[in-house]
Amino acid sequence: MLPLPRAQVGEAAGVRDEALRTVDRLRARLRRIAGEAAAASAAVPSHPRVLVLQSLRPLRTVGWWLPDQLTLAGGSCGLEGQPGDPAQELTWEQVCV
């Protein structure tokens, strides 16, 4: 998962401790969901291929944290970037492979 500047954002907003608790709670939730997805996908011989688009004009795949979430959920695409990378423009030829 991507590192979050949780303390800095919380401090700037005047709610540092609440920000830390919230981020910890959300990370625990993501770990639980990833565990459930891993258990479910263990029964399936291959991961589902999915395509998540940010826009159609220009054709653009998702970026930032969504590739990470796609992997945690047990899916794969091959067109998305690495977690933390911005969205990438695609061609229909890349999508239709």
Side-chain angles (χ1 to χ4, degrees):
M1 281 185 271
L2 295 175
L4 299 175
R6 56 191 185 154
Q8 297 92 331
V9 172
E11 271 184 42
V15 290
R16 181 182 184 277
D17 292 341
E18 183 179 346
L20 294 173
R21 285 191 303 272
T22 299
V23 170
D24 288 341
R25 190 174 66 250
L26 290 172
R27 284 188 172 157
R29 184 176 174 193
L30 279 173
R31 283 191 299 273
R32 180 182 54 80
I33 292 168
E36 291 172 5
S41 69
V44 179
S46 65
H47 295 284
R49 271 188 89 196
V50 294
L51 175 63
V52 184
L53 296 175
Q54 177 177 308
S55 65
L56 293 174
R57 291 188 184 181
L59 188 62
R60 189 182 299 262
T61 188
V62 295
W64 307 112
W65 62 88
L66 288 171
D68 201 22
Q69 290 181 345
L70 178 63
T71 302
L72 287 172
S76 67
C77 174
L79 295 175
E80 72 278 354
Q82 296 299 311
D85 288 349
Q88 302 173 22
E89 286 194 27
L90 300 171
T91 64
W92 281 112
E93 289 77 20
Q94 289 173 290
V95 172
C96 295
V97 171

